[in-house]
Structure formats: structure tokens, C-alpha cells
Amino acid sequence: MNAEEGHHLLYQMQLIRRFEEKSAEQYTKAKIRGFLHLYIGEEAVAVGVIQSLADEDKILSTYREHGHAIARGVDTKKIMAEMYGKQEGCSLGRGGSMHFFDTKKNFYGGNAIVSGHLPMAVGMALASKKQNKKNITCCFFGEGAAAEGEFHEAMNLAALWQVPLLMVCENNQYAMGTALKYTHSILELEKKGMAYGIDTVAVDGMDLNAVINAANKAVAKIKETGKPYFLVCNTYRFRAHSMFDAELYRDKGEVEEWKKRDPITTFKKYLLLEKLTTEQELSIIETRIESEVQEAVDFAEVGTWEPIENLTKFVYSQ
Amino acid sequence: MTYREALKQGIREALHADGRVFLIGEDVGRYGGAFAVSKGLLQEFGEDRIMDVPLSESGFVGAGIGAAIAGMKPIVELMTVNFSLLAMDQIVNNAATLLHMSGGQINVPVVIRIGCGIGRQLAAQHSHSWEPLFAHIPGLIVLSVGTHEDARYMLAEALKSPDPVIVFEYTSMLNSEKEIPANITQVDISKTKVRRVGKDISLITYGTGVYKCMDAANELAAMGIDVEVVDLRVLRPLDEETILASVSKTHRALIVEDAWKSVSISSEISARIMEKIFYDLDAPVLRLSGVEVPIPYPVHLEEASVPQKNDIINAVKKILNHD
């Protein structure tokens, strides 16, 4: 990793963090409504995995997808406008926080049915195989999804058909408010990949370098073999499940323990230690992010509402 | 030609016409299709085009949706409508939703064929008429294959749609033989079809009701009653224009379906007639629907569960005696 690459990765993680903090602020001001699921604490996963992908690779994600969209390069202005419900948003304002789409970036949502996008991801990878395309499909989901039947159907189909699919399980330890040990009979989720004969690796999702190494290997393997790969990233969400969550199900002490492993702090230390950055350069990045986030808010504020006459537009193709 | 052979020829033609088309479903390949519709196609097209799948309805329907999004033209087969419920998440939350929710970015041109209907003594978990469940969902196009010509030619049109199409096929009709008129080589899936022109009453129906209503109409003709038979063919979006034009002309309507009566296709059509052309009516709209029970196994109970030809004839007489 050179300094430029290091700065870009740090910039992406910090942009996600700051964007999420600003989103929470805008939520409390009632600018953003509905559900808002923050990615804070998990930034190394989205950034580490997505840096391994090429532009033509396709990404599907969950309702906690802000981090993935930002790491993919979906315009933060359009993302904020989407959360405001404005028609300048990346989904015309119709999806909100849980449903970002940007097909120009090969970003296919934003799916809020837990595990609902996994079969689709298999199908998209199958299409690539049938069309002899070199691109892969990357599907993010949480450990909650790994309890759904669709996860098991998707894993079996992906292995059976040998399609180029990267399945990324973001194990943030809680399916909403229910801990892993209350939802899974086996806590080492990577064993579920082995059961289907899929190459599987579990990695510390709080460590960007570890995620990068694992993701690069996974993507190289998929591109070489055309076969699926299961990557489990063990991570933690620092904030509540959504803005309605009083966090009755976990100790503050546990959260504080995990915060000691904050992926951004860890990566900054790494860059400084390796002399890939300086305090001054770090400060420049922060300033740049601050203005970018503010621009996103400004853009959303002046955005416009889709006319009610358009309500039924796109129920069917025009 | 049998209804089964017509379906098969339609699939075969689609596979020949477009390399992006593939058939995917339980036992469609080596077994030849649970009802032998796709028999021989694996040998002709190979396993990339005719894909057997594990019993994972949500998984392979979802995979069909994903493949459609990514540029393929999948024909997904669900063995019976009862199994389709296992894939309902994919059909409703994804196929029907993504175009609107993404602000017009994501088309889902998938075709899902569903074996459906009553009349083979398959009991309550293999025989129902659940078209209304699907016709309720905006974003889906829902077709009902009530005739041999539609069995032969509907699929080609369904595959042209940029939006998801659900095609209901009726297992009780598979062995029935009919000639397809040589001049028909294409059907219009956006239009309801008037199968028989008449002036006294409109029989509005779909699926297995079409031939039953045609038979009833022939017997009624011998009694001097001139019946118009309207085959809905497309259950969503409804071709309201054709339906209402028929009823405005005959001033009377009987709606016939195998589906359960409450919150059904007939409820919808009846309501639209009231809303739009109430003053054209000479008699109240009547409905003949399925009895609201899980379909039982014994043949006499199964037959009693859905409207039969004599029920239709009696209901027509009742309506005509109204005034």
C-alpha cells in the first residue's frame, strides 16, 4: 500500500463515518424519516471488500447499505437526497435509507427483506457465467440473514452452479437486538460455507488490512475459478440498530470494548506507524470530508419533491 | 394438438428464437417436467438451457429474477401454484417492486409459469386457483392460459415484456385436444379476447372457465339464448375497455371462475362494472366461483368445489329471467 492508496481508504472510511453521523443529526431534525440504520463501526468491511472489486462487478446489499454505496462511489449528494425523499436521490427519492440503487455504478440495492437479495445475487452471477462475462457479483448480508432459508438455498445454488459470487457475511453480532448465540446453533458462521463446499474465510472485520487481504484473495480466486466464495467479516455496530432502538439487549461495557477496536483509529495508527501519512495530512482529509458531507446536506435541502402525478410511474415500464 | 404439446411448442420456439432464453425449474430436464410439458427439451437444448434445480422455490425464482436483471430471459417453472407461495417473497418484494422502488432503474423481464387449477384429484396442497393472489400485486403482469392458442403463443409475447409476467397454466387441461386455427400465429397479451360473440349476456371468465363457458353457450344457443363469452386472458392489468364494452352491449353479466369467491377476480370485475357502467345493466351482476374450501381429494367433492357447465347454464337462465 502506498500513501495515496492509504489516504483514499481512510478517506472512504471516514467519509462513511461522518456521513452517518450527519444522517443521524438530520434524522433528529426530522429531515430524514422512516428507518435509518447506521453503519458506524463496520466501515472496514465495506471499504475493504469493495476496493477489491472492479467497476463492472455487481454489488447487492442490505438495508444497512449506506457504507457500501459510499465505498462504491455512489454520489453522496444523491444518497443524502434519497434519504430526504427528494427526486434528485439515487432512487428518485422513492426508496429512502434502505433502498439505494445506482445501476451506473452496478449498485443493485438496498434490499430490506433480510436475505431476499441473496437468490437474486446468485442469478446475476449465473447470468455473467452464461454470458461468458468476466465480472463477478458481490453480495453483502448480515449474520441474521444466514438464519434465513434463502441463505441456504442461495449457497447451495451458487455452489451447485459454480457461479462467480462473493458472499460477504457482515457478522455484527446482533440480528436487530438478538445476539448471535440466540439465533445460530453454530457461532462460527464460516462453517456454513464449508457445508456447501464453498471456499470460506473468516476475518477480523475491524481491521481494514485484514479485510483487504482476505477480499483480494477471495476476488482473485473467484476470477480464476469462476466459483463462489464465502467471506465472513466479524464486526460490530457501535450505534443502535436503528433510530428507534433503546439498546436494551447489550451492555454499554461491551460496546465500549469494541470501540477500542475502532477500524478508523486502528487504520490511522497503521498509516502513521508506517509513515504513510502525517497528522497534517489527516487533518486535510477531515476538512475535505466535512465539506463534502455539508455539500450533500445542502444538495438534499434544495432538492425537489417528485410530483404526485408521477406516483404510479414505473409500476410498469413506460 | 394437446394443450401440453401447445405449451411445449411455445417453449421450444422461444428457446430457438433467443439464446438468452432458458427454462429453469424443478424436474424440467431429466424428468421431462412434472407434467411432461418439457419432455425432450433437455436432449434438444442441453443443460445450460434446460436447468433442473433443487427444491428451493425461493432460491431458483430469485435466481431467475437476478438473471433477468442481468440480461438473460429466464422462463421459470413452478410445478404447482401451492409451491409458488414459497417464492412469494421473491415475486412480490423483488420482481414486482424493484422497477418502482429504484426509480425506474431496474427492469425484471422474468417469465414465471405456474401449474395451477383443480381437476386431477391432487387434493388441497396441489390444486388451487390462486390467480387472485397474484393479480392483486401492482408491477406484475398476470396471464391465464384458457385456450390452446394461448398455450401455444402466449409465451413468446410474455418474453417480450420488460416487466415480470406470471403465466397460469391449467394441469387439468393438459391432455385436452383442440385444433389451433391456422391463421393464428400470435396473440395479444394486453387484450381480453371475446371468444364468442352474442347479444343476450356476457359470460366473463378465464382459465378452465373458458371452454366450460363455450360449451354452456352452445347449449344455451339451442335454447335460443345468445351468449357472449369473454376470456379475460390478462388478469392484471385488466383490459377494462373490452370487458365493459361487452357488458354495455349485452346489459347482463355472469362472471365465472374456479378461484375462491371472496376478494377474487370476479369481485374486482363486478365492482368495476358497478362503478363504470351501472346504468347499462338490465340485471344484477352474478358470480359463480369456487366454494371456499381447501380442495378435497374425492372426485365428487372436487367437482362440487368449482362451477360446472350446468351451474353456468342455470345461472344464465336465472339472470335472463330477472326482468
Side-chain angles (χ1 to χ4, degrees):
Chain A
M1 184 182 299
N2 62 34
E4 191 186 340
E5 288 161 352
H7 282 140
H8 181 65
L9 294 164
L10 181 67
Y11 156 77
Q12 285 200 314
M13 286 205 294
Q14 282 196 288
L15 176 60
I16 294 169
R17 176 75 54 97
R18 188 68 197 107
F19 188 89
E20 294 289 63
E21 289 166 349
K22 182 59 88 175
S23 300
E25 276 176 52
Q26 300 314 97
Y27 195 89
T28 57
K29 292 179 188 165
K31 297 288 187 179
I32 299 172
R33 297 279 76 194
F35 281 132
L36 179 71
H37 306 95
L38 301 178
Y39 197 65
I40 291 174
E42 306 181 36
E43 295 90 344
V45 180
V47 171
V49 171
I50 290 171
Q51 63 78 38
S52 72
L53 302 175
D55 290 346
E56 65 270 22
D57 296 334
K58 296 178 192 297
I59 297 175
L60 294 90
S61 183
T62 68
Y63 55 81
R64 194 185 301 286
E65 87 284 34
H66 306 173
H68 309 113
I70 292 171
R72 184 51 164 187
V74 178
D75 187 340
T76 46
K77 293 198 285 297
K78 289 185 179 177
I79 294 175
M80 189 60 83
E82 184 62 34
M83 290 199 284
Y84 270 60
K86 300 288 181 71
Q87 62 181 339
E88 291 78 8
C90 57
S91 308
L92 216 53
R94 291 171 167 196
S97 161
M98 300 193 285
H99 304 298
F100 299 163
F101 291 87
D102 188 346
T103 53
K104 289 194 177 72
K105 294 280 182 186
N106 276 314
F107 193 81
Y108 289 85
N111 199 306
I113 305 297
V114 173
S115 208
H117 56 307
L118 274 59
M120 284 197 299
V122 174
M124 293 172 82
L126 176 68
S128 294
K129 181 176 180 176
K130 284 183 179 293
Q131 295 159 356
N132 294 315
K133 287 185 178 165
K134 296 293 172 214
N135 63 342
I136 73 167
T137 299
C138 173
C139 181
F140 291 95
F141 54 94
E143 89 289 345
E148 292 276 4
E150 286 179 319
F151 165 79
H152 296 276
E153 294 187 12
M155 290 287 276
N156 185 46
L157 289 174
L160 187 69
W161 294 339
Q162 300 282 291
V163 294
L165 175 65
L166 177 58
M167 295 279 268
V168 182
C169 180
E170 301 180 311
N171 172 21
N172 69 10
Q173 319 295 332
Y174 289 90
M176 227 170 116
T178 305
L180 183 66
K181 65 181 173 186
Y182 300 121
T183 58
H184 282 273
S185 59
I186 290 171
L187 305 185
E188 301 83 13
L189 297 171
E190 56 276 17
K191 289 183 180 170
K192 295 179 195 291
M194 296 167 194
Y196 293 103
I198 295 179
D199 285 344
T200 300
V201 163
V203 66
D204 178 2
M206 307 304 280
D207 178 350
L208 179 64
N209 282 317
V211 177
I212 288 173
N213 288 336
N216 286 348
K217 278 183 197 159
V219 171
K221 190 81 188 280
I222 296 167
K223 294 203 170 171
E224 176 199 332
T225 63
K227 295 179 183 177
Y229 198 102
F230 184 41
L231 180 61
V232 177
C233 299
N234 294 308
T235 182
Y236 200 80
R237 90 179 132 65
F238 295 166
R239 303 288 285 258
H241 166 75
S242 75
M243 301 302 281
F244 295 114
D245 171 12
E247 294 189 78
L248 302 173
Y249 50 85
R250 64 183 186 183
D251 290 338
K252 288 198 166 60
E254 178 187 293
V255 181
E256 291 311 310
E257 276 306 304
W258 277 91
K259 281 185 177 173
K260 289 177 188 166
R261 297 169 57 196
D262 186 323
I264 294 176
T265 313
T266 306
F267 191 61
K268 269 187 198 169
K269 278 184 192 158
Y270 164 81
L271 292 179
L272 287 165
L273 190 71
E274 296 292 319
K275 303 203 185 312
L276 291 168
T277 192
T278 62
E279 292 290 353
Q280 194 190 359
E281 284 172 309
L282 292 179
S283 152
I284 291 170
I285 290 176
E286 279 177 27
T287 310
R288 177 180 157 206
I289 286 169
E290 203 56 46
S291 68
E292 182 170 345
V293 170
Q294 190 56 48
E295 275 174 36
V297 170
D298 295 344
F299 180 79
E301 286 285 342
V302 300
T304 55
W305 304 110
E306 186 177 15
I308 291 171
E309 305 88 87
N310 289 2
L311 178 61
T312 58
K313 191 178 174 188
F314 298 130
V315 171
Y316 295 98
S317 299
Q318 307 299 301
Chain B
M1 184 188 301
T2 61
Y3 183 92
R4 173 187 290 107
E5 181 62 23
L7 290 171
K8 181 179 168 179
Q9 286 196 16
I11 297 168
R12 198 166 166 267
E13 181 182 72
L15 287 159
H16 273 301
D18 187 341
R20 296 172 300 170
V21 172
F22 66 101
L23 177 68
I24 178 170
E26 290 160 352
D27 281 312
V28 297
R30 289 155 190 90
Y31 191 95
F35 299 104
V37 169
S38 52
K39 197 174 170 189
L41 295 181
L42 173 67
Q43 289 72 21
E44 186 175 353
F45 293 97
E47 59 185 21
D48 282 345
R49 310 286 306 282
I50 309 292
M51 293 180 69
D52 282 322
V53 294
L55 309 186
S56 306
E57 285 81 2
S58 194
F60 69 77
V61 171
I65 291 166
I69 291 169
M72 300 299 290
K73 284 276 184 186
I75 304 167
V76 184
E77 178 177 310
L78 281 163
M79 202 186 286
T80 92
V81 71
N82 298 72
F83 305 169
S84 74
L85 300 193
L86 293 163
M88 211 57 165
D89 168 45
Q90 291 300 326
I91 295 170
V92 180
N93 281 315
N94 288 333
T97 300
L98 284 171
L99 181 67
H100 191 268
M101 189 167 77
S102 68
Q105 291 180 77
I106 296 181
N107 279 105
V108 186
V110 70
V111 174
I112 302 174
R113 300 170 41 238
I114 303 181
C116 173
I118 294 142
R120 290 173 67 104
Q121 287 196 263
L122 298 176
Q125 292 183 334
H126 280 71
S127 37
H128 279 106
S129 196
W130 285 342
E131 300 91 334
L133 295 181
F134 293 82
H136 185 64
I137 313 295
L140 299 180
I141 293 169
V142 181
L143 306 178
S144 172
V145 184
T147 65
H148 288 61
E149 67 186 59
D150 283 356
R152 173 67 183 82
Y153 294 112
M154 241 184 195
L155 182 66
E157 300 306 309
L159 283 163
K160 289 178 192 165
S161 168
D163 299 317
V165 183
I166 310 292
V167 184
F168 283 101
E169 302 167 359
Y170 299 89
T171 49
S172 67
M173 294 172 72
L174 287 167
N175 292 329
S176 71
E177 294 242 14
K178 294 263 189 224
E179 286 300 310
I180 298 173
N183 61 332
I184 293 173
T185 55
Q186 201 177 357
V187 298
D188 182 352
I189 59 167
S190 69
K191 284 292 188 194
T192 278
K193 179 90 176 168
V194 175
R195 298 283 177 196
R196 186 184 199 282
V197 177
K199 63 175 175 30
D200 293 333
I201 183 169
S202 299
L203 279 185
I204 301 166
T205 188
Y206 60 93
T208 52
V210 178
Y211 289 143
K212 281 184 202 171
C213 285
M214 293 295 280
D215 290 346
N218 287 336
E219 290 194 24
L220 287 160
M223 302 172 206
I225 300 170
D226 188 13
V227 172
E228 180 145 305
V229 177
V230 179
D231 172 8
L232 290 173
R233 190 150 69 173
V234 52
L235 307 181
R236 174 177 273 277
L238 280 174
D239 174 13
E240 199 176 87
E241 191 184 347
T242 304
I243 299 164
L244 297 184
S246 173
V247 180
S248 288
K249 182 182 79 175
T250 64
H251 309 294
R252 295 173 186 86
L254 171 66
I255 311 168
V256 181
E257 66 183 341
D258 283 357
W260 292 322
K261 194 171 202 169
S262 304
V263 199
S264 63
I265 305 290
S266 68
S267 325
E268 179 61 29
I269 290 174
S270 179
R272 292 203 195 190
I273 292 170
M274 302 308 167
E275 286 170 353
K276 302 274 171 79
I277 54 165
F278 178 75
Y279 294 104
D280 288 351
L281 290 173
D282 282 348
V285 173
L286 284 193
R287 296 185 288 150
L288 284 174
S289 305
V291 179
E292 303 204 359
V293 290
I295 301 302
Y297 161 69
V299 69
H300 70 293
L301 293 180
E302 186 183 43
E303 282 177 4
S305 301
V306 292
Q308 303 295 342
K309 185 181 68 184
N310 286 339
D311 302 321
I312 299 167
I313 290 170
N314 291 335
V316 168
K317 287 181 186 166
K318 185 178 165 189
I319 295 169
L320 287 167
N321 289 335
H322 175 79
D323 40 30

